Amino acid sequence: MPSPIARLLPRSPKLSITVALGLILLLAAASLITFYQRHRAPVRTINYTELHAVGESSSVVSLSVDGETLTVTSADGSVAQAIVTSEAAQQEIVGEFSKKNIPVEFHSLKPSALVTAMNWIVPGM
């Protein structure tokens, strides 16, 4: 009985080279992603009081609201996150940032189409 591994190995040199180049490109892409994740600004966790203080400073570039997580980006590239569970407190912070003409970005909590498809496909396997 022939081994199933033999059928998986490429039989022509051209195909072998193509597979090897594909693996090298995949490895290079993974290395670049890892490099950029390590060299971006670390995220500092702050509390609600510190979030107010950051909002009053003039060095803030943007505010991002993703569910209960509020992320503030400063002009120097530093990033700070705060968890604010109260809707009223979130609206107060958003209003404070909007008064200073700081862009506020809201992210949807609805899962993407890919996540929804995977939730249907994976359990069927």
Side-chain angles (χ1 to χ4, degrees), residues 2-100:
S3 171
I5 296 176
R7 286 186 282 166
L8 295 176
L9 297 174
R11 296 184 183 191
S12 73
K14 190 175 183 179
L15 186 60
S16 298
I17 291 171
T18 305
V19 169
L21 284 175
L23 290 173
I24 290 171
L25 287 174
L26 186 64
L27 182 64
S31 297
L32 281 173
I33 291 170
T34 303
F35 175 79
Y36 283 116
Q37 286 179 345
R38 288 185 181 173
H39 289 86
R40 65 180 176 172
V43 177
R44 186 173 58 110
T45 304
I46 59 174
N47 62 27
Y48 183 74
T49 306
E50 292 171 319
L51 184 61
H52 264 291
V54 168
E56 293 172 359
S57 72
S58 60
S59 65
V60 176
V61 175
S62 68
L63 171 69
S64 175
V65 180
D66 189 4
E68 295 178 342
T69 306
L70 280 71
T71 306
V72 178
T73 306
S74 298
D76 63 357
S78 63
V79 178
Q81 278 187 343
I83 305 295
V84 181
T85 57
S86 167
E87 292 273 335
Q90 280 187 0
Q91 290 303 318
E92 182 182 337
I93 294 292
V94 168
E96 184 177 319
F97 279 75
S98 295
K99 284 179 191 173
K100 296 185 181 273

